[in-house]
Every structure is written in structure tokens, then in C-alpha cells.
């Protein structure tokens, strides 16, 4: 049994049932309104009050205290969606960090990612960065009410999982609207995939004419964007999730006033009024789990602490060497001043043994310094390995002609090699594309061996190997 809980504002959305790959059946769905003042757009404004409200809710509904997944929506999260080529998980983690490198306001950063749509060459990826303290706070709140969390994710993931499981949304394009108190989430969905998602605060009271006008303006803006991106395709449906029947009729009236020629509909799917929490019950290959990322970071911090402890003996050795060296210097001065005692001092067995010990320590320190130097060289070498991010893949695709299809097949970080697939109606355009790629300055070498012709499509297909230049973004 798994419990998925979504928190953003003063409403608690919960779904409790068996984890499955497809749409849920028979799951318990609960929507509970908390008093205002403890949670606002994912920001905890009164931790004590929020803890008490959740404790009371949990007890009243008899929810399990284990197998709980928390879904959050907050401005604390930095979220990006982009295409990620197929690569090893460690290499992908490096790309994710690179995607967020320009964001500086986060102090102790946690990262995680998941594939929203996955194929043989990679797929559409959702990546998140958040301050570690934010996740720790939520973990502690649930610990205080006696609940053990098994995972924390963002609403963008579970919302997209839910929409992807809806038969009604597998083909065609539509706008989906979700209302969470006064926060409206507007989603552009096309051919079973997320195109874009946006959250904004509504400034008009629900049920007023101004409220439906705001909605219509949002839909109009999305339609203009869609028309520019998807030439020739139609956007005719607006699905309202969590709205009442009266809202649907009023939205339809305002859409007509805007001349949008779009139909306002209620999404006829189970748990459409609780879809963000329900999406957390859908089983996936690699779900996002910021709690797991936190545990990994804590392990890394512990390892660093243990390494620091191991350095203490080295520091003691260095101190002994310094003290010994100072002692020898003073002794030499004494010997110089007292020539009559020089012979006796030099033949003193205890002093000779001390000198030998110092020489041994100096030799050991020299070996340690050499080992540290070699480790630093290895670290710098690994740091120079090129990484691929969306900036690189976008420049690769932009270099192609309008009728050329270019896809990234794979990326080998150790060799810095990208493999591309090209499909084109004119074989001569391949050489022009290769020259354009070389001129970007991103690659040390770009080459291909031969091509093949497909009678069924009348197009040529080519595989290209690109060796990345170190440090290229």
C-alpha cells in the first residue's frame, strides 16, 4: 500500500492505493482543506500549526505511517525540462549539475532527475535543484507526526505521469488547467507529451467574470505559442481539472467572447480532481526522489568527515617534524657557541636516533605530497572531460538545414564522443552540415563513414561521430 500526498497551499490532496503502471482503480482519494496561514505556495509560514494540522488529518483519515510519498510545489524548486541523450547515470548527474550552473542563490544544493518520456536514444527529462534545508524541513515535519517518508518529488513529475496515462490525451493537442486555491497551472499537452507548463496566481475571486477572463487570456497566450511552434496543427480543447460544471460553462462563454473557437471540457478520468497526488501512485522505472538524493549527500558528507579524521595523524607528523627541525636548529646554535661540547653532542646516541627519526618522517611526508599531487592531477584530468548539456544539443540541431532530421544517439563521457544520426533527402547536404559543425568550435574532430539510401522514404541516413573539445559548453 502506497500513500501519495500533495501539498502546495491550504489544501491537502492524498491518494492511497497499490502502485501500478497504468491508471489507478479503487484507490482512496481524500481532499482536505486546512485553515489558512500555515502554507502558502509551498512556503511554510507556520511550521507548528502545519504539523498539528497534518497530525490531525492523518489520524482522522487513518492513513498509513509508512510507504508515504510527498509531492511538493514551491518556488524553492528550480525545474527544467529538456532532452537528454542516453548515457550512464553518473554522467547524466554531471549534465544535470551543468544545467543549473548559472543559478547561484542556492546554498546547499540537491539535484535529481527523471525521464518523462524515454526511448532508446535518451528522452524528455525533468531535472530539479533545491536547497537541502527545504527537504530536511519536510522530512522532520512528517517525522514529528510519526510518518516515515519514502520519497519526495515535485508536482511537475506526478502531474505529467498522470496525463501520460490518460487514454483521452494520447493523441491530439489540448490545454489542461488545474486550480489549487488561487494558483492556476496551465499545461500545453500534445501527442501524449508535455510541451510546457506554467503556474501563476489568480488575482480575481473564483466564480467572478474577471476570473474567467483571466483564464481565457492564459488560454489565448498558450494558443499563440502553439500556433508558432506547431504549424498546421490545431488546438481546440481546454480541459478543466478540479473545476465545477458551472465553471466549465462560464469558461466556454468567455472563450467564445475571445473568438478562440475552443471547447471547454471536464477531464473524464478517475481522480481528475486529485491528479497530482494520484500520479504519485503510478509505477515508473526511475522516479524522482529528493529524499534519496539527500541521503546520498549525507553519506558523502560523512565520507569527507572520515577522510578529514585520517588527515589528523598526517598533521601530527608534520607538527613533529616542525618541532624537531626547530629543536635541531637550536641545538646547532648551541653547538656552534660551545665548540668544546660539539664532539660529545655529535656522538650522543639519543640525539643521533632523533635525527634518524626526523629523516624518516621527512621521507614519508615527501611520499604523501607526491601521492596528493598525483591525486590532484587525476582530479583535474577528470574535471577537464567535456560534458554535454541542452546548450550543446541545441547548437547541434540548429546547425542542420530545415529538411534535415538530426538526433543524438549516444554520448561517451570518457572518450568525449557524441554519435549523431542524420536523415536527409539530399546527400550533398551532409558535407555542408559536417563543415558547419566543425565551425562551431565545439569539436576536435567530426567524421562519418559512408551512408545508406532508404527506398521506402527516398532519404539518406548517416551516422556521424563527433569528438568534443574539453571545456566546451
Amino acid at each position: 500500500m502506497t500513500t501519495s500526498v500533495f501539498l502546495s497551499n491550504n489544501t491537502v490532496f492524498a491518494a492511497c492505493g497499490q502502485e501500478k503502471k497504468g491508471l489507478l482503480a479503487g484507490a482512496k482519494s481524500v481532499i482536505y482543506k486546512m485553515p489558512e496561514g500555515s502554507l502558502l505556495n509551498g512556503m511554510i509560514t507556520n511550521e507548528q500549526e502545519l504539523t498539528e494540522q497534518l497530525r490531525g488529518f492523518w489520524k482522522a483519515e487513518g492513513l498509513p505511517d509508512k510507504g508515504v510519498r510527498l509531492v511538493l510545489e514551491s518556488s524553492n524548486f528550480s525545474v527544467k525540462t529538456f532532452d537528454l541523450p542516453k548515457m550512464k547515470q553518473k554522467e547524466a548527474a554531471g549534465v544535470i549539475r551543468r544545467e543549473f550552473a548559472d543559478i547561484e542563490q542556492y546554498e546547499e544544493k540537491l539535484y535529481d532527475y527523471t525521464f518523462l518520456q524515454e526511448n532508446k536514444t535518451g528522452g524528455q527529462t525533468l531535472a530539479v535543484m533545491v536547497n537541502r534545508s527545504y527537504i530536511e524541513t519536510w522530512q522532520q515535519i512528517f517525522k514529528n507526526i510519526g510518518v516515515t517518508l519514502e520519497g519526495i518529488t515535485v508536482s511537475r513529475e506526478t502531474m505529467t505521469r498522470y496525463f501520460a496515462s490518460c487514454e483521452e490525451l494520447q493523441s491530439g493537442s489540448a490545454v489542461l488547467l488545474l486550480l489549487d486555491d488561487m494558483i492556476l497551472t496551465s499545461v500545453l499537452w500534445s501527442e501524449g507529451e508535455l510541451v510546457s507548463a506554467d503556474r501563476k496566481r489568480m488575482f480575481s475571486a473564483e466564480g467572478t467574470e474577471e476570473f474567467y477572463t483571466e483564464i481565457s487570456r492564459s488560454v489565448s497566450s498558450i494558443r499563440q505559442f502553439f500556433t508558432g511552434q506547431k504549424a498546421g496543427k490545431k488546438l481546440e480543447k481546454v480541459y478543466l481539472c478540479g473545476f465545477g460544471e458551472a465553471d466549465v460553462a462560464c469558461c466556454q462563454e468567455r472563450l467564445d467572447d475571445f473568438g478562440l473557437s475552443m471547447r471547454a471540457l471536464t477531464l473524464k478520468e478517475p481522480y481528475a480532481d486529485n491528479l497530482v497526488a494520484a500520479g504519485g501512485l503510478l509505477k515508473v522505472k526511475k522516479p524522482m526522489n529528493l529524499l534519496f538524493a539527500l541521503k546520498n549527500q549525507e553519506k558523502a558528507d560523512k565520507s569527507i568527515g572520515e577522510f578529514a579524521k585520517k588527515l589528523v595523524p598526517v598533521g601530527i607528523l608534520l607538527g613533529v617534524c616542525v618541532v624537531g627541525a626547530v629543536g635541531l636548529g637550536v641545538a646547532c646554535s648551541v653547538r656552534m657557541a660551545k665548540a668544546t661540547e660539539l664532539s660529545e653532542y655529535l656522538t650522543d646516541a639519543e640525539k643521533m636516533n632523533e635525527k634518524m627519526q626526523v629523516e624518516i618522517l621527512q621521507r614519508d611526508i615527501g611520499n604523501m605530497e607526491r601521492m596528493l599531487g598525483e591525486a590532484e592531477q587525476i582530479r583535474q584530468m577528470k574535471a577537464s572531460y567535456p560534458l554535454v548539456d541542452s546548450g550543446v544539443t541545441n547548437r547541434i540541431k540548429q546547425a542542420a538545414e530545415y529538411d534535415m532530421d538530426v538526433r543524438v544517439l549516444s554520448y561517451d563521457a570518457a572518450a568525449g564522443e557524441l554519435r549523431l544520426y542524420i536523415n536527409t533527402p539530399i546527400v550533398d547536404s551532409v558535407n555542408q552540415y559536417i563543415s558547419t559543425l566543425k565551425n562551431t568550435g565545439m569539436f576536435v574532430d567530426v567524421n562519418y563513414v559512408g551512408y545508406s539510401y532508404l527506398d521506402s522514404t527516398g532519404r539518406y541516413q548517416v551516422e556521424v561521430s563527433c569528438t568534443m573539445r574539453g571545456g566546451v559548453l
Side-chain angles (χ1 to χ4, degrees), residues 175-178 184-188 196-200 218-219 222:
V175 176
L176 299 125
L177 302 177
L178 293 76
L184 180 71
T185 301
S186 304
V187 177
L188 176 56
S196 66
D198 174 67
R199 278 172 63 91
K200 73 169 188 177
S218 296
V219 173
I222 293 172

Side-chain angles (χ1 to χ4, degrees), residues 134-319:
Y134 184 70
I135 301 302
E136 289 174 333
T137 299
W138 281 106
Q139 184 183 30
Q140 187 60 48
I141 287 175
F142 276 84
K143 183 178 180 180
N144 290 341
I145 67 173
V147 174
T148 302
L149 294 176
E150 71 172 23
I152 297 178
T153 187
V154 293
S155 63
R156 181 76 62 88
E157 179 191 12
T158 58
M159 175 189 72
T160 306
R161 302 282 189 217
Y162 183 90
F163 288 148
S165 70
C166 295
E167 184 177 352
E168 195 171 352
L169 301 176
Q170 295 307 303
S171 61
S173 303
V175 176
L176 299 125
L177 302 177
L178 293 76
L179 189 64
D180 177 14
D181 288 333
M182 295 303 291
I183 303 297
L184 180 71
T185 301
S186 304
V187 177
L188 176 56
W189 190 266
S190 182
E191 304 302 332
E193 291 188 2
L194 174 74
V195 178
S196 66
D198 174 67
R199 278 172 63 91
K200 73 169 188 177
R201 178 174 176 78
M202 300 292 287
F203 293 98
S204 304
E206 185 177 358
T208 64
E209 184 176 338
E210 291 79 9
F211 175 80
Y212 302 115
T213 298
E214 279 194 65
I215 289 179
S216 298
R217 285 174 178 161
S218 296
V219 173
S220 178
S221 177
I222 293 172
R223 189 177 186 183
Q224 290 178 21
F225 169 78
F226 179 83
T227 302
Q229 297 291 317
K230 304 284 185 179
K233 294 187 178 181
K234 294 183 178 181
L235 187 62
E236 299 176 333
K237 297 179 180 178
V238 179
Y239 288 101
L240 279 69
C241 307
F243 289 76
E245 290 296 330
D247 293 319
V248 176
C250 292
C251 283
Q252 183 65 67
E253 183 179 345
R254 298 308 293 157
L255 291 172
D256 293 341
D257 291 342
F258 273 72
L260 294 177
S261 300
M262 299 179 72
R263 292 165 52 206
L265 305 165
T266 299
L267 186 63
K268 301 296 184 181
E269 297 283 354
Y271 318 108
D273 58 345
N274 192 9
L275 64 91
V276 177
L281 300 182
L282 292 169
K283 189 174 184 179
V284 294
K285 184 178 180 180
K286 184 203 175 299
M288 182 176 292
N289 191 342
L290 290 162
L291 194 60
F292 184 69
L294 174 62
K295 291 178 180 178
N296 284 341
Q297 186 62 52
E298 289 173 344
K299 288 180 181 178
D301 292 345
K302 184 179 180 181
S303 298
I304 293 173
E306 291 176 350
F307 179 72
K309 290 179 181 178
K310 292 179 181 179
L311 289 179
V312 172
V314 177
I316 293 174
L317 288 176
L318 290 173

Side-chain angles (χ1 to χ4, degrees), residues 291-354:
L291 194 60
F292 184 69
L294 174 62
K295 291 178 180 178
N296 284 341
Q297 186 62 52
E298 289 173 344
K299 288 180 181 178
D301 292 345
K302 184 179 180 181
S303 298
I304 293 173
E306 291 176 350
F307 179 72
K309 290 179 181 178
K310 292 179 181 179
L311 289 179
V312 172
V314 177
I316 293 174
L317 288 176
L318 290 173
V320 170
C321 291
V322 171
V323 172
V326 171
L328 286 174
V330 172
C332 288
S333 298
V334 172
R335 290 199 304 272
M336 292 294 291
K338 300 179 180 180
T340 56
E341 298 177 6
L342 180 59
S343 178
E344 180 181 350
Y345 180 83
L346 291 175
T347 57
D348 186 284
E350 183 178 352
K351 301 300 181 186
M352 292 296 292
N353 182 61
E354 288 180 358

Side-chain angles (χ1 to χ4, degrees), residues 66-82:
K66 293 182 180 179
V68 178
R69 299 172 182 174
L70 179 61
V71 184
L72 298 170
E73 176 59 54
S74 170
S75 56
N76 282 282
F77 295 109
S78 182
V79 180
K80 289 189 177 184
T81 305
F82 54 91

